[in-house]
């Protein structure tokens, strides 16, 4: 029993250290967009990027979508991008939510729910979850909201 507990504790420590954090370079994301084309995070290099993990069935995510859209509209001409990463496991629901919420920023689908590789890679255990990247792709903030988020975006631009 002690061996099993030690093994579980060791694995937990390794997993905790594997999660990305502020100061890390964001791992690559390469997922299908709404039209089926592969969208890569690296294609946004040189821009300030907010990665927004969400799902169509997530009430708080849907409530935050209009705020994210407003930020995108406000700063897109200054070098700001949003990459929405949905963990929906039903593509139809994802597309319907994008249309209903009038989302204009880039969207990709990692359709495996909580087992989505991208969400696991980023250590996402609740949504919405956001990661703000500087122009070099370094994570500078996690889960900022409201005025704090807007101020940080201004600072980075």
């Amino acid at each position: 029993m002690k061996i099993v507990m030690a093994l579980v504790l060791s694995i937990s420590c390794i997993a905790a250290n594997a999660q990305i954090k502020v100061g890390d370079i964001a791992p690559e994301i390469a997922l299908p967009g709404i039209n089926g084309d592969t969208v890569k995070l690296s294609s946004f290099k040189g821009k300030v990027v907010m990665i927004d993990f969400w799902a169509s069935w997530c009430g708080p995510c849907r409530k935050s979508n209009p705020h994210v859209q407003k930020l995108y509209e406000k700063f897109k001409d200054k070098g700001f991008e949003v990459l929405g990463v949905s963990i929906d496991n039903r593509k139809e629901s994802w597309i319907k939510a994008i249309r209903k919420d009038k989302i204009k920023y880039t969207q990709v689908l990692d359709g495996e729910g909580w087992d989505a590789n991208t969400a696991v890679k980023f250590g996402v255990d609740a949504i919405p979850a956001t990661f703000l990247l500087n122009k070099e792709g370094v994570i500078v903030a996690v889960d900022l909201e409201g005025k704090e988020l807007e101020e940080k975006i201004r600072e980075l631009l």
Side-chain angles (χ1 to χ4, degrees), residues 52-56 84-88 94 107-112 116:
D52 180 28
F53 285 90
W54 73 291
S56 66
V85 180
S86 174
I87 63 169
D88 273 283
W94 169 61
Q107 289 287 323
V108 294
L109 178 64
D110 194 346
E112 299 296 323

Side-chain angles (χ1 to χ4, degrees), residues 20-26 131-134 136-142:
I20 63 171
K21 57 194 171 301
V22 171
D24 290 347
I25 293 181
F131 297 83
L132 189 62
L133 315 180
N134 67 13
E136 291 75 41
V138 175
I139 299 167
V140 295
V142 177

Side-chain angles (χ1 to χ4, degrees), residues 24-106:
D24 290 347
I25 293 181
E28 179 66 284
I29 295 173
L31 293 168
I34 197 164
N35 297 322
D37 52 325
T38 298
V39 177
K40 292 185 176 186
L41 176 61
S42 58
S43 70
F44 298 113
K45 196 89 168 187
K47 296 187 176 198
V48 173
V49 179
M50 184 174 81
I51 302 168
D52 180 28
F53 285 90
W54 73 291
S56 66
W57 45 261
C58 168
C61 299
R62 299 293 297 277
K63 189 174 179 179
S64 77
N65 282 345
H67 302 290
V68 175
Q69 182 62 41
K70 283 180 187 173
L71 277 176
Y72 172 69
E73 291 295 332
K74 188 172 194 170
F75 295 112
K76 70 179 182 178
D77 295 333
K78 297 175 180 156
F80 176 65
E81 290 289 338
V82 178
L83 179 59
V85 180
S86 174
I87 63 169
D88 273 283
N89 37 16
R90 292 188 53 222
K91 184 177 180 180
E92 304 79 29
S93 299
W94 169 61
I95 291 171
K96 185 177 176 183
I98 291 169
R99 290 187 179 134
K100 185 171 184 179
D101 294 354
K102 298 180 175 118
I103 297 172
K104 303 294 184 212
Y105 50 88
T106 305

